[in-house]
Amino acid sequence: MQTPPTKDGPRINQDIKVPRVLLIDHNGEKQGIMPTSAALEAAEEAGLDLVEVSPTADPPVCKILDYGKYRFQEQKKKAEARKKQKVVEIKEIKLRPNIDKHDYEVKAKAMHRFFDEGDKVKVTLRFRGREMAHPELGMKLLNQVKADFEETTRVEYEPRMEGRQMIMILAPK
């Protein structure tokens, strides 16, 4: 046996099953606590819907308003909230232990751009062949990166060796 589909959103008109409600009219004025049937009649007289805006209150708060318009405004609010949220991405910068000064500056400039956009940066230092014999050079380079970006970022993941690479994650403050 299937259960009836649950309706999302507030209860309206005949769906409101509580005996008494606190009514707010279409002008936004509080009318007081009254039986649900009287509130429904008042909504019909105004040619609008009775919408339960606060079902958890005691007694529940109901408003007389145009339900279609109310739903449209709620959708607009949600869309606006989605538009304002920023998804933080993790950008990756790959370095080598024997990087040249100018190459390092180019990478640092890219990192500044990423931080300005509000993204995190994963600094990956890859070792090849005999470079594995000198992990202290890699640690020195990552400490230099940390020092260069100290005032604008915080270290989220300290430099750590993982296989043939050393990884550190920086996030904007």
Side-chain angles (χ1 to χ4, degrees), residues 92-166:
E92 186 173 16
I93 294 287
K94 292 183 179 178
L95 302 173
R96 296 286 311 283
N98 56 350
I99 191 169
D100 196 41
K101 185 179 184 345
H102 181 263
D103 294 335
Y104 174 78
E105 289 169 2
V106 169
K107 301 279 188 180
K109 190 175 176 184
M111 287 169 65
H112 274 294
R113 192 177 71 243
F114 295 151
F115 291 133
D116 290 343
E117 293 169 3
D119 296 324
K120 294 179 182 181
V121 175
K122 176 181 178 181
V123 182
T124 305
L125 191 76
R126 182 158 288 139
F127 293 94
R128 282 197 189 144
R130 289 194 177 158
E131 293 172 347
M132 285 296 292
H134 300 287
E136 69 278 356
L137 293 176
M139 189 57 84
K140 182 179 167 189
L141 180 61
L142 287 181
N143 285 334
Q144 179 187 348
V145 170
K146 197 189 317 183
D148 290 349
F149 290 93
E150 194 172 34
E151 61 275 349
T152 58
T153 64
R154 61 182 163 75
V155 178
E156 206 167 78
Y157 187 84
E158 287 293 331
R160 220 172 274 154
M161 197 71 176
E162 291 182 4
R164 289 192 154 271
Q165 55 191 17
M166 201 173 273

Side-chain angles (χ1 to χ4, degrees), residues 12-169:
I12 60 169
N13 299 332
Q14 307 305 325
D15 295 339
I16 302 170
K17 302 290 186 201
V18 292
R20 298 177 328 138
V21 295
L22 174 62
L23 182 67
I24 299 172
D25 68 7
H26 56 281
N27 297 325
E29 295 172 18
K30 192 188 287 187
Q31 297 298 318
I33 297 171
M34 59 176 57
T36 306
S37 56
L40 278 167
E41 287 172 17
E44 276 183 38
E45 279 179 28
L48 298 169
D49 300 306
L50 183 68
V51 180
E52 190 176 41
V53 290
S54 181
T56 56
D58 186 35
V61 179
C62 292
K63 245 182 182 176
I64 296 176
L65 46 82
D66 181 0
Y67 184 63
K69 193 174 185 180
Y70 174 75
R71 283 204 33 211
F72 177 73
Q73 288 172 338
E74 289 296 310
Q75 283 178 335
K76 288 291 240 186
K77 281 182 194 173
K78 286 180 183 174
E80 192 65 33
R82 266 197 310 274
K83 195 188 303 182
K84 287 182 181 175
Q85 80 182 20
K86 168 78 172 100
V87 177
V88 176
E89 292 182 37
I90 295 184
K91 305 284 189 168
E92 186 173 16
I93 294 287
K94 292 183 179 178
L95 302 173
R96 296 286 311 283
N98 56 350
I99 191 169
D100 196 41
K101 185 179 184 345
H102 181 263
D103 294 335
Y104 174 78
E105 289 169 2
V106 169
K107 301 279 188 180
K109 190 175 176 184
M111 287 169 65
H112 274 294
R113 192 177 71 243
F114 295 151
F115 291 133
D116 290 343
E117 293 169 3
D119 296 324
K120 294 179 182 181
V121 175
K122 176 181 178 181
V123 182
T124 305
L125 191 76
R126 182 158 288 139
F127 293 94
R128 282 197 189 144
R130 289 194 177 158
E131 293 172 347
M132 285 296 292
H134 300 287
E136 69 278 356
L137 293 176
M139 189 57 84
K140 182 179 167 189
L141 180 61
L142 287 181
N143 285 334
Q144 179 187 348
V145 170
K146 197 189 317 183
D148 290 349
F149 290 93
E150 194 172 34
E151 61 275 349
T152 58
T153 64
R154 61 182 163 75
V155 178
E156 206 167 78
Y157 187 84
E158 287 293 331
R160 220 172 274 154
M161 197 71 176
E162 291 182 4
R164 289 192 154 271
Q165 55 191 17
M166 201 173 273
I167 294 173
M168 173 173 69
I169 296 178

